[in-house]
Amino acid sequence: LRMVPTVASVLVPCFTASSVPWRSVQLAVRPRLAARPSFRTGVPTFSRSFSMKKGGGSGGTATRIPYVEIQDPLSESWKLGPVIDILREGGLGVIPTDTCYMFVTPIDSRKGVERIYTIKEVDSYKKKPLTLLCKDISQISTFTTATNFKSTFKMLKNLLPGPYTFIFSATNDVPRMVLEHKNRSVKTWKRREIGIRIPEDEVCREIIAQLGSPLLCAGVPRDDGDAATAVGAQDRFGKLIDFVVDNGPRELIFSTVVDWTGDAPSVLREGAGSLDALSEYMEIE
């Protein structure tokens, strides 16, 4: 007669069917499942991350983002590594300045600029010159005509770093996407000027120094009467940004804005920057 092999003798040929318990045979032939992929990413010891609420806390969990706390910029600048990496990839985040917390993105990041406009959601804001956060006057001279004149160079050297925003004509080094806005390939507006700042904030300047180029910025909206905090920024905008750098609260102050593109310079907004100090370089009405 033709012998038909049993299941046990086929699967476990070194034993007879009667010598191996059925449970053991089942375990021996059970297929090995592939390891379940893990989507958890480790958070470095120098930063922490938050589960952001969609729409500023209305439910649902958004993607975790790096949240870096800096107490002493001189000894803790190494913590900024992940932030610099994100910015080099064209990301958008929130950092402190000497006046308030700012949305920032690299000057050559088209997506970053578009995201800033989306967050602000104000058409009139889009028509205002964006502002560059610079590390020093050398960066200012690359992107504006400010240092073409001895008088303005002297002013910048004496008043910056400080809470001033100066608007100058932009050079060709400023990307066109920053100076022009198009809607379906139709140009809706164009500007030839850009604001510049050198904040008196060590964390901000350290980020710019490590990145090696200026940052386009826009102020983080805040409620009247509330100090500007990094936690407040991540609560409201955590789903729309890539990182937050926390260096403590900022008071309700703004920079003094001066336009140097006309026939004569004019103060557009009085802020924390002293008008008395500014009067040494221009007439103030």
Side-chain angles (χ1 to χ4, degrees):
L1 296 176
R2 185 178 180 181
M3 300 295 293
V4 178
T6 63
V7 173
S9 63
V10 171
L11 297 179
V12 192
C14 57
F15 296 96
T16 63
S18 60
S19 64
V20 181
W22 173 243
R23 180 177 178 82
S24 299
V25 173
Q26 284 185 314
L27 292 176
V29 300
R30 180 177 297 169
R32 185 175 182 180
L33 298 177
R36 178 178 298 178
S38 174
F39 296 100
R40 297 182 60 186
T41 56
V43 179
T45 57
F46 50 78
S47 65
R48 56 195 175 98
S49 59
F50 288 85
S51 294
M52 306 302 175
K53 299 293 186 179
K54 293 181 180 179
S58 60
T61 302
T63 304
R64 293 173 180 267
I65 62 173
Y67 187 102
V68 181
E69 294 176 285
I70 301 288
Q71 299 294 331
D72 181 6
L74 295 179
S75 62
E76 297 180 317
S77 60
W78 56 271
K79 294 182 178 182
L80 297 169
V83 170
I84 303 304
D85 290 341
I86 292 172
L87 288 172
R88 284 176 178 160
E89 294 177 357
L92 171 70
V94 169
I95 69 171
T97 70
D98 53 351
T99 56
C100 64
Y101 277 87
M102 294 275 190
F103 296 113
V104 295
T105 194
I107 188 173
D108 58 352
S109 175
R110 178 179 297 275
K111 290 184 178 180
V113 173
E114 292 174 352
R115 290 169 69 186
I116 286 180
Y117 284 149
T118 299
I119 290 175
K120 300 298 286 190
E121 293 182 344
V122 180
D123 289 338
S124 61
Y125 175 82
K126 297 178 182 180
K127 298 179 182 179
K128 297 178 181 179
L130 290 176
T131 298
L132 280 180
L133 298 178
C134 300
K135 179 179 69 73
D136 51 31
I137 294 179
S138 176
Q139 287 187 344
I140 292 177
S141 66
T142 299
F143 296 97
T144 74
T145 60
T147 57
N148 290 0
F149 306 96
K150 185 176 180 180
S151 58
T152 55
F153 175 81
K154 183 178 179 181
M155 176 192 68
L156 296 176
K157 185 176 180 180
N158 291 334
L159 296 183
L160 299 178
Y164 293 92
T165 299
F166 295 107
I167 301 174
F168 291 102
S169 297
T171 65
N172 292 332
D173 290 287
V174 177
R176 181 177 297 179
M177 64 184 178
V178 176
L179 301 176
E180 297 180 0
H181 182 69
K182 295 182 179 180
N183 186 10
R184 295 181 180 179
S185 300
V186 178
K187 191 181 300 181
T188 57
W189 49 256
K190 179 179 180 180
R191 63 172 69 92
R192 293 183 175 85
E193 65 280 346
I194 193 165
I196 57 94
R197 289 205 62 204
I198 302 181
E200 194 171 9
D201 186 282
E202 293 182 357
V203 175
C204 177
R205 296 209 306 274
E206 179 63 26
I207 292 172
I208 300 169
Q210 289 192 30
L211 183 63
S213 62
L215 291 167
L216 284 167
C217 72
V220 175
R222 53 191 174 182
D223 297 329
D224 293 340
D226 294 336
T229 65
V231 173
Q234 63 93 6
D235 282 343
R236 294 184 62 185
F237 303 102
K239 188 183 177 183
L240 303 175
I241 57 181
D242 303 319
F243 66 84
V244 174
V245 177
D246 187 349
N247 185 233
R250 293 297 186 266
E251 299 299 326
L252 290 172
I253 59 176
F254 300 90
S255 64
T256 296
V257 180
V258 184
D259 185 356
W260 280 80
T261 60
D263 295 334
S266 60
V267 177
L268 302 184
R269 182 182 70 193
E270 181 179 356
S274 169
L275 294 184
D276 289 339
L278 191 62
S279 65
E280 297 183 18
Y281 308 97
M282 57 178 286
E283 293 185 4
I284 299 178
E285 298 179 355

